[in-house]
Amino acid sequence: MSHFKKTKNIISLVLFLSTVGFLHAQNQLSSPYSRFGLGELSKRTSLSSVSMGGIAYAYQSATAVNFSNPAAYVGYDSISALIDAAFSYKYHQLQDNRTKQQGGTIEFDYLALGLSLAKNWTTSFGFQPYSFINYTINETSAWNDSVSVNTAFKGRGGIYEFYWGNAFKVFKNFSLGCNISYLFGNYDKIRTAEFSDDLFLNFKGNDKTSMKGALFSFGTQYFIPVKKSTIGIGAVYTPSIPTVFATQSEVLSHYKNTSIGEEIIDTLYWNGVEKNKVKLPQAVGVGLSWSSEKYFIGFDFTWSDWEKAKIGNNTDTLKNSYKYALGGNVIPNPTGSKYISKIQYSLGAFYELTPVYLKEKQVDRFGINFGMSFPMKKSKTRISMIVEYGKWGINNTVLQENYVKCSFNLALHERWYQRRKLE
């Protein structure tokens, strides 16, 4: 099989698996945390970084697409294309004071491509989820002595992201980058009240939101050689620019349940279709790293002002988020003759005060990651497996989630351009 045909077949396989993963991503696990704001936010970080707790700002790799800091794209070599795709299986257990649920799902993480366009210019583009909404909350209470009412809150949908990024090496060891993203998607938030007595009409409110627009982020990296090691400094800034718009509508109605489903009796209210500006939070991330031929270790801090996020004039009960990540990796002998010495081992952890504010407490999250990355012979292509154990609601006893997430990553490193020599 020719080199070109082999590369073409591998790319086709990656695109097929990404499509399958995208379809599975439509059926996320139920998460009450996704009721707030734009839903539960995706990591939006390459699995190479996830395996180290999520550190990315001062991290640069020739075998992974680091789209968390666009300045890192300069790490690719000049004659190869890098295709980076990732999928996960998540099993979780969610519980509150009264109930417990558990289950698992396959998730699509991202698909990204990186390549060099010129001596000091590299680019990347890809697709990934931005956030998802999927929750069902039920509560039954007494209406009077003989009638009870079941109140339910349901949400479905998600926001997705196409990005295009460019990085420029300004001078040796210093680079600047920018990501331009297109966000799109829609979601429904439904509330119902159903009575146990058919004499009462059930109530339903449906809020529909469709969103699209642009998002920008800017990054920089600087690496300082120190003897046989390197100290890295990185920073990323995402401004709060009103370039995302939402189309919204609200419908209130009476209905009754029949053998074939819901039957609308009358419409109480419809506000038409409104177009509003979306104010996403600005975010600042800084990172510090140290690396040598065998070792890499880094620390990241991220701040996002979700308190100011809103759609039109509508805000949510969100708080500013803070995230801390620490991790690293080791390759026992990168130039050794034994295959086992070239396997990369990663370990990391993170702690985050999420934007979610519940029962007068800001919900926090903690996670530990472990990963192994296997190189393919005579190639820079790597296959990686990562395991994450995490917990939502450490300081909140009202609602807690424990989960285990197993991720699979394929980073294809293929030559896409090579000048031929004439003899």
Side-chain angles (χ1 to χ4, degrees), residues 10-193:
I10 293 175
I11 293 175
S12 299
L13 176 62
V14 171
L15 293 175
F16 170 74
L17 291 175
S18 298
T19 303
V20 174
F22 174 75
L23 294 176
H24 278 289
Q26 310 307 303
N27 187 26
Q28 294 275 2
L29 287 168
S30 177
S31 172
Y33 296 116
S34 66
R35 181 183 176 185
F36 302 90
L38 298 181
E40 186 173 323
L41 301 174
S42 300
K43 288 183 179 294
R44 300 172 66 227
T45 304
S46 71
L47 280 193
S48 179
S49 295
V50 170
S51 67
M52 299 182 288
I55 58 172
Y57 301 136
Y59 174 60
Q60 193 176 109
S61 174
T63 58
V65 180
N66 181 8
F67 40 82
S68 297
N69 188 343
Y73 300 147
V74 298
Y76 313 145
D77 68 59
S78 59
I79 62 173
S80 299
L82 181 60
I83 302 173
D84 196 345
F87 315 88
S88 301
Y89 173 80
K90 182 180 179 181
Y91 176 84
H92 84 162
Q93 185 181 81
L94 187 71
Q95 63 181 16
D96 57 19
N97 295 330
R98 295 173 298 175
T99 60
K100 179 186 294 186
Q101 73 170 44
Q102 55 191 12
T105 187
I106 296 175
E107 302 176 358
F108 166 69
D109 293 315
Y110 62 86
L111 173 65
L113 171 67
L115 50 89
S116 176
L117 298 179
K119 182 180 179 181
N120 296 315
W121 176 21
T122 50
T123 190
S124 175
F125 53 90
F127 169 75
Q128 61 186 334
Y130 180 86
S131 66
F132 78 91
I133 293 177
N134 187 15
Y135 61 88
T136 300
I137 302 172
N138 293 292
E139 183 176 356
T140 301
S141 58
W143 179 257
N144 55 37
D145 294 339
S146 60
V147 179
S148 63
V149 58
N150 181 67
T151 305
F153 299 89
K154 300 179 182 179
R156 299 291 185 271
I159 308 298
Y160 302 92
E161 173 185 9
F162 279 111
Y163 81 88
W164 176 43
N166 291 276
F168 303 90
K169 184 176 289 186
V170 181
F171 54 82
K172 186 177 181 180
N173 299 326
F174 179 74
S175 60
L176 297 172
C178 173
N179 279 340
I180 302 172
S181 300
Y182 176 71
L183 300 182
F184 68 98
N186 56 76
Y187 56 86
D188 293 349
K189 292 185 176 182
I190 302 169
R191 55 196 185 279
T192 61

Side-chain angles (χ1 to χ4, degrees), residues 355-368:
V356 179
Y357 189 72
L358 184 63
K359 299 294 183 180
E360 299 184 351
K361 285 187 178 182
Q362 191 167 355
V363 177
D364 56 356
R365 181 170 60 161
F366 172 77
I368 300 175

Side-chain angles (χ1 to χ4, degrees), residues 187-206:
Y187 56 86
D188 293 349
K189 292 185 176 182
I190 302 169
R191 55 196 185 279
T192 61
E194 293 189 352
F195 294 88
S196 59
D197 193 327
D198 293 338
L199 294 175
F200 295 89
L201 290 175
N202 300 323
F203 169 82
K204 181 177 184 179
N206 191 351

Side-chain angles (χ1 to χ4, degrees), residues 329-370:
N329 63 50
V330 58
I331 303 177
N333 190 356
T335 59
S337 58
K338 294 183 179 180
Y339 177 81
I340 194 171
S341 67
K342 298 180 181 180
I343 298 174
Q344 178 178 286
Y345 303 89
S346 304
L347 183 66
F350 67 87
Y351 175 79
E352 178 182 12
L353 277 174
T354 73
V356 179
Y357 189 72
L358 184 63
K359 299 294 183 180
E360 299 184 351
K361 285 187 178 182
Q362 191 167 355
V363 177
D364 56 356
R365 181 170 60 161
F366 172 77
I368 300 175
N369 307 85
F370 172 75

